[in-house]
Amino acid sequence: MTFDENFKVIVIGAGHAGCEAASASARLGADTGLITLNLDLIGQMSCNPAIGGIAKGHLVREIDALGGVMGRVIDRTGIQFRLLNRSRGPAVQSPRAQADRMLYRAEMRRILEGTPNLHLRQGKVVELLVHDAQIKGVELEDGRCFGAEAVVIATGTFLNGLIHTGRRTYRGGRAGEPAAIELSESLKRLGFPVGRLKTGTPPRLDGRTIDWSAFEVQPGDKVPVPFSFSTDKLEQKQLDCHIGYTSERLHDEIRRNLAESPLYSGKIQGVGPRYCPSIEDKVVKFADKNRHQLFLEPEGHDTNEVYMNGFSTSLPAELQQELVRMIPGLDEAKIIRPGYAIEYDFVDPRELGPDLQTARVLGLFHAGQINGTTGYEEAACQGLIAGINAALLTQGRASLRLRRDEAYTGVLIEDLIKQGVDEPYRIFTSRAEYRLALRHDNADARLEGYGRELGLVGDSDWERFTARQTRLTALRTGLDSTRFRRSDPEYSALQAELGTDLGDSISLAQLAKRPQVSQALIRRLLPTALADVTESDLTSALADSLYAGYLDSQKATIDRIFQHDSLRIPGQVVFKGLSGLSNEVVERLERARPETFGEARRIPGLTPAALSTLLVHLSAAQKAS
């Protein structure tokens, strides 16, 4: 084959998966070509202008620990930062940030353009060039052919994309951009099993036409938590978000116009994300609710555009305008961009190995929504792993494979390649058996060693990491060794302050586990040598102490689950009657009707928590009989 240019690695698509893949590959020393339809839209946030969230924030921290770029970019371009689940345990707390959409895109492109060995090319890939089941390169619509030893496909929703707004349907990868129809056909010709999924987006509003006084203000955290371990402090100005609600009148109007929705008229065949339903779905499936929560989120410092989170829709554009004005506070609101639904092709992820390389074509890797996932963060972590392994393949080095007990990224990849997907996959803390050990604050301790070994973590970041680990070791030692005894002068005052008996002797680590003991109190009681400990270091050390006793118990529970595959499930069991199972789990069990616990364990979407609950019920029933 004759090529116009030759690279070691080619990445197709410059969304969140493609950016991480290209950056990692190039920084590992592989000459990398990043091909995208429009260079001005690198790192585009197609839907919500936000990074992180429950479990998703864990993924971003893991990306950062491995040497990825998403965490650094959002830290520089975020306009509101919040740590979610503060009232719950540290294992399920997760950072989230609103982004300035235009700044995020510009910063991502700046980073990529400054990366050695990375070459940006604009064009549309129409054909994968394969010989003897091995990738050789790609062909572009304009006739150019690029050679490569490895190719990463990270095309997002562009594969055979079809956009729906009411009865209007047209081809597109997202609004205003063409679909990648030919590339999808190329994959089919190679024998890849292709399915259809669907996602959607809400209308964007003109902030100048909103009555902000009608909405509840949702400010960011006073002390914002960054995503990147390299970010010491976030000092940029934060913008407020606002909370509002739909109305019963609006719900009634949606019900009257369901025939106009392609979701209910039968036009859309693809399955949508369960945990990001359209407003039409919410009204139909939660008919008992007379209102649904909405979040009005600014898209940046220098724009009036506002994202209406919670109002995803594919209803006709003119009807969307009417519906929006039925929301209190939006009586005069004007839509800048209407919402829409998009269907797209994905490839069965069971075609992949744990390195995200396809078994069908050597050197071909898939990352992001092509694997059936949804979300920027899920895409980015796949892109990072695929880009790393594509570069390692061309260098004859062993691939990077993360286990599910050491990273949410490992959980996500194993779920995909072993279970496949029947709806867009989203990460949750409940998907991880080892979630008590997989906290967002200890992602560096879990993964930064891999990043350093690969060569993605530089000297300054490694020095920062080792210094933090040294501080944490000293802090843990201090918490364990600092004790208060009845004979100590501080003991009586401490016991009186807490209003409870502390026993003959208690360490700071033990004291911290008591529910009425605040982190501020622990800080006050620390030895003088540890008085200047940072908030993040103290939080991590206390979390280590809190969960230490639970980790062995968690491992025993997991081992027990895998030892009961032969346990039979009575045919007459009513899963809906088992307390502790979510509606989603019940739906999946009723549909599959497994005969043994082993069969239930292999049903896609059954979380470890659900399996543990099911096992308790089955074991109790077996003993009773």
Side-chain angles (χ1 to χ4, degrees), residues 567-625:
L567 185 63
R568 296 201 65 79
I569 299 176
Q572 69 274 18
V573 67
V574 179
F575 294 111
K576 193 172 183 179
L578 304 183
S579 63
L581 296 180
S582 69
N583 290 335
E584 176 192 355
V585 168
V586 168
E587 179 185 317
R588 291 176 182 275
L589 287 168
E590 294 286 3
R591 189 168 63 228
R593 298 304 308 181
E595 296 182 359
T596 66
F597 181 75
E599 290 180 12
R601 188 169 60 79
R602 289 184 283 274
I603 297 173
L606 254 66
T607 66
L611 290 171
S612 182
T613 299
L614 179 61
L615 181 58
V616 168
H617 284 293
L618 294 178
S619 299
Q622 187 183 57
K623 288 178 183 178
S625 62

Short mmCIF file of all heavy atoms in Angstrom, two decimals, residues 567-625:
data_model
loop_
_atom_site.label_atom_id
_atom_site.label_comp_id
_atom_site.label_asym_id
_atom_site.label_seq_id
_atom_site.Cartn_x
_atom_site.Cartn_y
_atom_site.Cartn_z
N LEU A 567 -26.02 -22.34 43.38
CA LEU A 567 -27.22 -22.14 44.19
C LEU A 567 -28.43 -21.89 43.29
O LEU A 567 -28.42 -20.98 42.47
CB LEU A 567 -27.03 -20.96 45.15
CG LEU A 567 -28.14 -20.67 46.15
CD1 LEU A 567 -28.32 -21.84 47.11
CD2 LEU A 567 -27.83 -19.40 46.93
N ARG A 568 -29.47 -22.73 43.44
CA ARG A 568 -30.62 -22.65 42.55
C ARG A 568 -31.58 -21.54 42.98
O ARG A 568 -31.75 -21.25 44.16
CB ARG A 568 -31.36 -23.99 42.50
CG ARG A 568 -30.52 -25.12 41.91
CD ARG A 568 -31.39 -26.24 41.39
NE ARG A 568 -32.22 -25.83 40.27
CZ ARG A 568 -31.79 -25.69 39.01
NH1 ARG A 568 -30.53 -25.91 38.70
NH2 ARG A 568 -32.64 -25.34 38.07
N ILE A 569 -32.21 -20.92 41.97
CA ILE A 569 -33.21 -19.88 42.21
C ILE A 569 -34.57 -20.49 41.94
O ILE A 569 -34.85 -20.91 40.80
CB ILE A 569 -32.98 -18.67 41.29
CG1 ILE A 569 -31.60 -18.05 41.56
CG2 ILE A 569 -34.08 -17.62 41.50
CD1 ILE A 569 -31.26 -16.90 40.63
N PRO A 570 -35.43 -20.61 42.95
CA PRO A 570 -36.75 -21.22 42.74
C PRO A 570 -37.51 -20.52 41.61
O PRO A 570 -37.50 -19.29 41.50
CB PRO A 570 -37.45 -21.01 44.09
CG PRO A 570 -36.33 -20.84 45.07
CD PRO A 570 -35.24 -20.15 44.33
N GLY A 571 -38.19 -21.31 40.79
CA GLY A 571 -38.92 -20.75 39.66
C GLY A 571 -40.04 -19.81 40.05
O GLY A 571 -40.42 -18.92 39.29
N GLN A 572 -40.57 -20.01 41.27
CA GLN A 572 -41.71 -19.20 41.71
C GLN A 572 -41.29 -17.92 42.41
O GLN A 572 -42.15 -17.14 42.85
CB GLN A 572 -42.62 -20.01 42.64
CG GLN A 572 -42.01 -20.32 44.00
CD GLN A 572 -41.16 -21.59 44.00
OE1 GLN A 572 -40.75 -22.05 42.93
NE2 GLN A 572 -40.91 -22.15 45.17
N VAL A 573 -39.97 -17.67 42.53
CA VAL A 573 -39.53 -16.48 43.26
C VAL A 573 -40.02 -15.20 42.56
O VAL A 573 -40.00 -15.10 41.33
CB VAL A 573 -37.99 -16.45 43.41
CG1 VAL A 573 -37.32 -16.25 42.05
CG2 VAL A 573 -37.56 -15.34 44.36
N VAL A 574 -40.50 -14.25 43.34
CA VAL A 574 -40.95 -12.96 42.81
C VAL A 574 -39.88 -11.94 43.17
O VAL A 574 -39.76 -11.52 44.32
CB VAL A 574 -42.31 -12.54 43.41
CG1 VAL A 574 -42.73 -11.19 42.85
CG2 VAL A 574 -43.36 -13.60 43.11
N PHE A 575 -39.07 -11.56 42.19
CA PHE A 575 -37.94 -10.67 42.47
C PHE A 575 -38.40 -9.32 43.00
O PHE A 575 -37.71 -8.69 43.81
CB PHE A 575 -37.10 -10.49 41.20
CG PHE A 575 -36.43 -11.75 40.75
CD1 PHE A 575 -36.83 -12.39 39.57
CD2 PHE A 575 -35.42 -12.32 41.49
CE1 PHE A 575 -36.22 -13.55 39.14
CE2 PHE A 575 -34.80 -13.50 41.07
CZ PHE A 575 -35.20 -14.12 39.90
N LYS A 576 -39.58 -8.87 42.54
CA LYS A 576 -40.08 -7.58 42.99
C LYS A 576 -40.36 -7.59 44.48
O LYS A 576 -40.38 -6.54 45.14
CB LYS A 576 -41.34 -7.22 42.20
CG LYS A 576 -41.76 -5.76 42.35
CD LYS A 576 -42.90 -5.43 41.41
CE LYS A 576 -43.26 -3.94 41.51
NZ LYS A 576 -44.35 -3.59 40.58
N GLY A 577 -40.58 -8.76 45.04
CA GLY A 577 -40.88 -8.85 46.45
C GLY A 577 -39.66 -8.92 47.35
O GLY A 577 -39.79 -8.98 48.57
N LEU A 578 -38.46 -8.94 46.76
CA LEU A 578 -37.24 -9.01 47.55
C LEU A 578 -36.77 -7.60 47.90
O LEU A 578 -36.42 -6.82 47.00
CB LEU A 578 -36.14 -9.75 46.77
CG LEU A 578 -36.50 -11.17 46.29
CD1 LEU A 578 -35.30 -11.81 45.60
CD2 LEU A 578 -36.96 -12.03 47.45
N SER A 579 -36.78 -7.26 49.16
CA SER A 579 -36.38 -5.91 49.57
C SER A 579 -34.89 -5.69 49.31
O SER A 579 -34.08 -6.60 49.42
CB SER A 579 -36.67 -5.70 51.06
OG SER A 579 -35.90 -6.61 51.84
N GLY A 580 -34.57 -4.46 48.93
CA GLY A 580 -33.17 -4.10 48.71
C GLY A 580 -32.74 -4.13 47.26
O GLY A 580 -31.61 -3.76 46.94
N LEU A 581 -33.64 -4.59 46.34
CA LEU A 581 -33.30 -4.62 44.92
C LEU A 581 -33.94 -3.43 44.22
O LEU A 581 -35.12 -3.15 44.41
CB LEU A 581 -33.79 -5.92 44.28
CG LEU A 581 -33.17 -7.23 44.78
CD1 LEU A 581 -33.77 -8.42 44.03
CD2 LEU A 581 -31.65 -7.21 44.62
N SER A 582 -33.15 -2.74 43.40
CA SER A 582 -33.68 -1.59 42.68
C SER A 582 -34.63 -2.03 41.57
O SER A 582 -34.65 -3.21 41.18
CB SER A 582 -32.53 -0.78 42.06
OG SER A 582 -31.93 -1.52 41.00
N ASN A 583 -35.41 -1.10 41.07
CA ASN A 583 -36.34 -1.41 39.97
C ASN A 583 -35.59 -1.92 38.75
O ASN A 583 -36.07 -2.81 38.04
CB ASN A 583 -37.15 -0.16 39.60
CG ASN A 583 -38.14 0.22 40.68
OD1 ASN A 583 -38.56 -0.62 41.47
ND2 ASN A 583 -38.51 1.49 40.74
N GLU A 584 -34.41 -1.34 38.48
CA GLU A 584 -33.63 -1.78 37.32
C GLU A 584 -33.22 -3.24 37.48
O GLU A 584 -33.33 -4.05 36.54
CB GLU A 584 -32.39 -0.91 37.15
CG GLU A 584 -31.48 -1.40 36.01
CD GLU A 584 -30.10 -0.75 36.00
OE1 GLU A 584 -29.86 0.15 36.83
OE2 GLU A 584 -29.29 -1.17 35.17
N VAL A 585 -32.71 -3.60 38.66
CA VAL A 585 -32.27 -4.98 38.90
C VAL A 585 -33.44 -5.94 38.79
O VAL A 585 -33.33 -7.01 38.17
CB VAL A 585 -31.59 -5.07 40.29
CG1 VAL A 585 -31.39 -6.53 40.68
CG2 VAL A 585 -30.26 -4.33 40.28
N VAL A 586 -34.57 -5.57 39.39
CA VAL A 586 -35.77 -6.42 39.30
C VAL A 586 -36.16 -6.64 37.84
O VAL A 586 -36.46 -7.77 37.42
CB VAL A 586 -36.94 -5.78 40.09
CG1 VAL A 586 -38.26 -6.50 39.77
CG2 VAL A 586 -36.64 -5.82 41.58
N GLU A 587 -36.14 -5.56 37.06
CA GLU A 587 -36.50 -5.65 35.64
C GLU A 587 -35.58 -6.62 34.89
O GLU A 587 -36.04 -7.45 34.09
CB GLU A 587 -36.41 -4.26 35.02
CG GLU A 587 -36.74 -4.20 33.54
CD GLU A 587 -36.51 -2.81 32.96
OE1 GLU A 587 -36.88 -1.81 33.62
OE2 GLU A 587 -35.92 -2.73 31.86
N ARG A 588 -34.27 -6.54 35.17
CA ARG A 588 -33.31 -7.41 34.49
C ARG A 588 -33.48 -8.87 34.92
O ARG A 588 -33.38 -9.79 34.09
CB ARG A 588 -31.89 -6.93 34.76
CG ARG A 588 -31.55 -5.61 34.08
CD ARG A 588 -30.16 -5.11 34.44
NE ARG A 588 -29.87 -3.83 33.82
CZ ARG A 588 -29.40 -3.67 32.60
NH1 ARG A 588 -29.16 -4.74 31.85
NH2 ARG A 588 -29.16 -2.47 32.11
N LEU A 589 -33.72 -9.09 36.19
CA LEU A 589 -33.93 -10.46 36.67
C LEU A 589 -35.22 -11.05 36.13
O LEU A 589 -35.25 -12.23 35.72
CB LEU A 589 -33.96 -10.46 38.21
CG LEU A 589 -32.61 -10.25 38.91
CD1 LEU A 589 -32.83 -9.99 40.40
CD2 LEU A 589 -31.70 -11.46 38.72
N GLU A 590 -36.29 -10.28 36.10
CA GLU A 590 -37.57 -10.78 35.58
C GLU A 590 -37.45 -11.12 34.10
O GLU A 590 -38.05 -12.10 33.62
CB GLU A 590 -38.67 -9.73 35.80
CG GLU A 590 -39.01 -9.47 37.26
CD GLU A 590 -39.80 -10.60 37.89
OE1 GLU A 590 -40.04 -11.62 37.23
OE2 GLU A 590 -40.17 -10.46 39.08
N ARG A 591 -36.68 -10.31 33.37
CA ARG A 591 -36.53 -10.54 31.94
C ARG A 591 -35.69 -11.80 31.66
O ARG A 591 -36.00 -12.59 30.77
CB ARG A 591 -35.88 -9.32 31.28
CG ARG A 591 -35.87 -9.37 29.75
CD ARG A 591 -35.51 -8.03 29.16
NE ARG A 591 -34.17 -7.60 29.53
CZ ARG A 591 -33.85 -6.41 29.99
NH1 ARG A 591 -34.80 -5.50 30.19
NH2 ARG A 591 -32.61 -6.09 30.28
N ALA A 592 -34.63 -11.99 32.45
CA ALA A 592 -33.71 -13.12 32.19
C ALA A 592 -34.18 -14.42 32.85
O ALA A 592 -33.86 -15.50 32.36
CB ALA A 592 -32.31 -12.76 32.70
N ARG A 593 -34.90 -14.33 33.99
CA ARG A 593 -35.35 -15.48 34.77
C ARG A 593 -34.23 -16.51 34.95
O ARG A 593 -34.32 -17.67 34.51
CB ARG A 593 -36.56 -16.16 34.12
CG ARG A 593 -37.82 -15.32 33.99
CD ARG A 593 -38.31 -14.77 35.28
NE ARG A 593 -38.46 -15.75 36.35
CZ ARG A 593 -38.90 -15.45 37.57
NH1 ARG A 593 -39.21 -14.19 37.88
NH2 ARG A 593 -39.01 -16.38 38.49
N PRO A 594 -33.14 -16.14 35.61
CA PRO A 594 -32.03 -17.07 35.82
C PRO A 594 -32.44 -18.24 36.71
O PRO A 594 -33.27 -18.08 37.62
CB PRO A 594 -30.97 -16.20 36.50
CG PRO A 594 -31.76 -15.14 37.19
CD PRO A 594 -32.92 -14.84 36.27
N GLU A 595 -31.87 -19.41 36.46
CA GLU A 595 -32.20 -20.60 37.25
C GLU A 595 -31.21 -20.83 38.38
O GLU A 595 -31.51 -21.56 39.33
CB GLU A 595 -32.26 -21.83 36.34
CG GLU A 595 -33.37 -21.75 35.30
CD GLU A 595 -33.43 -23.00 34.45
OE1 GLU A 595 -32.60 -23.91 34.66
OE2 GLU A 595 -34.31 -23.07 33.56
N THR A 596 -30.01 -20.24 38.27
CA THR A 596 -29.00 -20.38 39.32
C THR A 596 -28.41 -19.00 39.63
O THR A 596 -28.52 -18.07 38.83
CB THR A 596 -27.86 -21.31 38.90
OG1 THR A 596 -27.14 -20.71 37.81
CG2 THR A 596 -28.37 -22.68 38.49
N PHE A 597 -27.74 -18.92 40.78
CA PHE A 597 -27.11 -17.66 41.15
C PHE A 597 -26.00 -17.31 40.16
O PHE A 597 -25.78 -16.14 39.84
CB PHE A 597 -26.54 -17.76 42.57
CG PHE A 597 -25.90 -16.49 43.04
CD1 PHE A 597 -26.67 -15.40 43.42
CD2 PHE A 597 -24.52 -16.36 43.07
CE1 PHE A 597 -26.08 -14.22 43.85
CE2 PHE A 597 -23.93 -15.18 43.50
CZ PHE A 597 -24.71 -14.11 43.88
N GLY A 598 -25.31 -18.33 39.64
CA GLY A 598 -24.27 -18.09 38.65
C GLY A 598 -24.81 -17.43 37.40
O GLY A 598 -24.18 -16.53 36.84
N GLU A 599 -26.00 -17.87 36.95
CA GLU A 599 -26.62 -17.25 35.79
C GLU A 599 -27.00 -15.79 36.10
O GLU A 599 -26.83 -14.90 35.27
CB GLU A 599 -27.86 -18.03 35.37
CG GLU A 599 -27.55 -19.39 34.76
CD GLU A 599 -28.82 -20.14 34.36
OE1 GLU A 599 -29.90 -19.52 34.35
OE2 GLU A 599 -28.72 -21.35 34.09
N ALA A 600 -27.50 -15.57 37.30
CA ALA A 600 -27.86 -14.20 37.71
C ALA A 600 -26.62 -13.30 37.74
O ALA A 600 -26.66 -12.14 37.33
CB ALA A 600 -28.53 -14.21 39.07
N ARG A 601 -25.51 -13.86 38.22
CA ARG A 601 -24.28 -13.08 38.34
C ARG A 601 -23.77 -12.61 36.99
O ARG A 601 -23.09 -11.58 36.89
CB ARG A 601 -23.20 -13.92 39.04
CG ARG A 601 -21.94 -13.18 39.39
CD ARG A 601 -21.05 -14.00 40.30
NE ARG A 601 -20.63 -15.25 39.71
CZ ARG A 601 -19.65 -15.37 38.81
NH1 ARG A 601 -19.03 -14.30 38.38
NH2 ARG A 601 -19.32 -16.55 38.34
N ARG A 602 -24.11 -13.32 35.94
CA ARG A 602 -23.61 -12.96 34.60
C ARG A 602 -24.58 -12.09 33.81
O ARG A 602 -24.33 -11.78 32.65
CB ARG A 602 -23.28 -14.24 33.82
CG ARG A 602 -22.03 -14.95 34.35
CD ARG A 602 -21.67 -16.16 33.50
NE ARG A 602 -22.53 -17.30 33.78
CZ ARG A 602 -22.32 -18.19 34.76
NH1 ARG A 602 -21.28 -18.04 35.56
NH2 ARG A 602 -23.13 -19.21 34.95
N ILE A 603 -25.68 -11.69 34.42
CA ILE A 603 -26.62 -10.80 33.74
C ILE A 603 -26.03 -9.39 33.69
O ILE A 603 -25.63 -8.85 34.72
CB ILE A 603 -27.98 -10.76 34.48
CG1 ILE A 603 -28.64 -12.14 34.46
CG2 ILE A 603 -28.91 -9.73 33.84
CD1 ILE A 603 -29.89 -12.21 35.32
N PRO A 604 -25.94 -8.78 32.51
CA PRO A 604 -25.40 -7.41 32.43
C PRO A 604 -26.17 -6.45 33.30
O PRO A 604 -27.41 -6.48 33.35
CB PRO A 604 -25.56 -7.06 30.94
CG PRO A 604 -25.61 -8.38 30.23
CD PRO A 604 -26.30 -9.32 31.19
N GLY A 605 -25.46 -5.61 34.04
CA GLY A 605 -26.09 -4.56 34.81
C GLY A 605 -26.40 -4.91 36.26
O GLY A 605 -26.83 -4.05 37.01
N LEU A 606 -26.19 -6.18 36.67
CA LEU A 606 -26.41 -6.53 38.06
C LEU A 606 -25.18 -6.14 38.88
O LEU A 606 -24.11 -6.68 38.68
CB LEU A 606 -26.71 -8.03 38.23
CG LEU A 606 -28.19 -8.32 38.52
CD1 LEU A 606 -29.04 -7.95 37.32
CD2 LEU A 606 -28.40 -9.76 38.90
N THR A 607 -25.37 -5.20 39.77
CA THR A 607 -24.24 -4.67 40.55
C THR A 607 -23.84 -5.65 41.65
O THR A 607 -24.64 -6.51 42.06
CB THR A 607 -24.62 -3.33 41.20
OG1 THR A 607 -25.64 -3.57 42.17
CG2 THR A 607 -25.11 -2.34 40.17
N PRO A 608 -22.62 -5.52 42.16
CA PRO A 608 -22.20 -6.36 43.29
C PRO A 608 -23.13 -6.23 44.49
O PRO A 608 -23.39 -7.22 45.18
CB PRO A 608 -20.79 -5.84 43.61
CG PRO A 608 -20.30 -5.26 42.31
CD PRO A 608 -21.52 -4.69 41.65
N ALA A 609 -23.60 -5.01 44.76
CA ALA A 609 -24.51 -4.81 45.89
C ALA A 609 -25.82 -5.59 45.68
O ALA A 609 -26.34 -6.21 46.61
CB ALA A 609 -24.81 -3.32 46.05
N ALA A 610 -26.33 -5.57 44.45
CA ALA A 610 -27.56 -6.31 44.14
C ALA A 610 -27.34 -7.81 44.28
O ALA A 610 -28.20 -8.54 44.81
CB ALA A 610 -28.04 -5.96 42.74
N LEU A 611 -26.20 -8.30 43.81
CA LEU A 611 -25.89 -9.73 43.90
C LEU A 611 -25.77 -10.17 45.35
O LEU A 611 -26.23 -11.25 45.72
CB LEU A 611 -24.60 -10.04 43.14
CG LEU A 611 -24.69 -9.94 41.62
CD1 LEU A 611 -23.31 -10.05 40.98
CD2 LEU A 611 -25.61 -11.04 41.06
N SER A 612 -25.15 -9.33 46.17
CA SER A 612 -25.02 -9.65 47.58
C SER A 612 -26.39 -9.74 48.24
O SER A 612 -26.67 -10.66 49.02
CB SER A 612 -24.17 -8.57 48.28
OG SER A 612 -24.00 -8.88 49.64
N THR A 613 -27.29 -8.81 47.90
CA THR A 613 -28.65 -8.82 48.44
C THR A 613 -29.40 -10.07 47.98
O THR A 613 -30.08 -10.73 48.78
CB THR A 613 -29.41 -7.56 47.97
OG1 THR A 613 -28.72 -6.40 48.45
CG2 THR A 613 -30.84 -7.56 48.48
N LEU A 614 -29.27 -10.41 46.71
CA LEU A 614 -29.94 -11.59 46.17
C LEU A 614 -29.43 -12.85 46.85
O LEU A 614 -30.21 -13.76 47.20
CB LEU A 614 -29.71 -11.68 44.66
CG LEU A 614 -30.31 -12.89 43.94
CD1 LEU A 614 -31.84 -12.90 44.09
CD2 LEU A 614 -29.93 -12.89 42.47
N LEU A 615 -28.11 -12.92 47.07
CA LEU A 615 -27.52 -14.09 47.71
C LEU A 615 -28.04 -14.26 49.13
O LEU A 615 -28.32 -15.38 49.57
CB LEU A 615 -25.99 -13.96 47.72
CG LEU A 615 -25.21 -15.13 48.35
CD1 LEU A 615 -25.53 -16.44 47.62
CD2 LEU A 615 -23.71 -14.85 48.31
N VAL A 616 -28.20 -13.18 49.87
CA VAL A 616 -28.73 -13.25 51.23
C VAL A 616 -30.14 -13.83 51.21
O VAL A 616 -30.47 -14.74 52.01
CB VAL A 616 -28.74 -11.84 51.88
CG1 VAL A 616 -29.55 -11.85 53.17
CG2 VAL A 616 -27.32 -11.37 52.16
N HIS A 617 -30.98 -13.37 50.28
CA HIS A 617 -32.36 -13.87 50.19
C HIS A 617 -32.38 -15.36 49.82
O HIS A 617 -33.12 -16.15 50.41
CB HIS A 617 -33.14 -13.07 49.14
CG HIS A 617 -33.55 -11.70 49.59
ND1 HIS A 617 -34.47 -11.51 50.59
CD2 HIS A 617 -33.17 -10.47 49.18
CE1 HIS A 617 -34.64 -10.21 50.79
NE2 HIS A 617 -33.86 -9.55 49.94
N LEU A 618 -31.57 -15.75 48.85
CA LEU A 618 -31.56 -17.14 48.39
C LEU A 618 -31.03 -18.07 49.48
O LEU A 618 -31.56 -19.17 49.68
CB LEU A 618 -30.71 -17.27 47.13
CG LEU A 618 -31.23 -16.56 45.88
CD1 LEU A 618 -30.26 -16.72 44.72
CD2 LEU A 618 -32.60 -17.10 45.48
N SER A 619 -29.98 -17.63 50.18
CA SER A 619 -29.40 -18.45 51.25
C SER A 619 -30.40 -18.64 52.38
O SER A 619 -30.55 -19.74 52.93
CB SER A 619 -28.12 -17.80 51.78
OG SER A 619 -27.14 -17.69 50.76
N ALA A 620 -31.12 -17.56 52.72
CA ALA A 620 -32.12 -17.63 53.78
C ALA A 620 -33.26 -18.57 53.38
O ALA A 620 -33.74 -19.37 54.20
CB ALA A 620 -32.66 -16.24 54.08
N ALA A 621 -33.68 -18.49 52.11
CA ALA A 621 -34.76 -19.35 51.63
C ALA A 621 -34.33 -20.81 51.63
O ALA A 621 -35.13 -21.71 51.95
CB ALA A 621 -35.15 -18.93 50.21
N GLN A 622 -33.07 -21.07 51.29
CA GLN A 622 -32.54 -22.44 51.26
C GLN A 622 -32.53 -23.03 52.67
O GLN A 622 -32.91 -24.19 52.88
CB GLN A 622 -31.14 -22.45 50.67
CG GLN A 622 -30.57 -23.86 50.45
CD GLN A 622 -29.15 -23.81 49.92
OE1 GLN A 622 -28.27 -23.22 50.54
NE2 GLN A 622 -28.93 -24.45 48.76
N LYS A 623 -32.10 -22.21 53.66
CA LYS A 623 -32.06 -22.69 55.04
C LYS A 623 -33.47 -22.95 55.56
O LYS A 623 -33.72 -23.91 56.30
CB LYS A 623 -31.36 -21.65 55.92
CG LYS A 623 -29.85 -21.56 55.69
CD LYS A 623 -29.24 -20.48 56.55
CE LYS A 623 -27.74 -20.35 56.25
NZ LYS A 623 -27.12 -19.26 57.03
N ALA A 624 -34.41 -22.08 55.18
CA ALA A 624 -35.79 -22.22 55.65
C ALA A 624 -36.45 -23.49 55.12
O ALA A 624 -37.30 -24.08 55.78
CB ALA A 624 -36.60 -21.00 55.23
N SER A 625 -36.02 -23.90 53.91
CA SER A 625 -36.61 -25.10 53.31
C SER A 625 -35.92 -26.36 53.81
O SER A 625 -36.41 -27.45 53.64
CB SER A 625 -36.53 -25.03 51.79
OG SER A 625 -35.17 -24.97 51.37
#
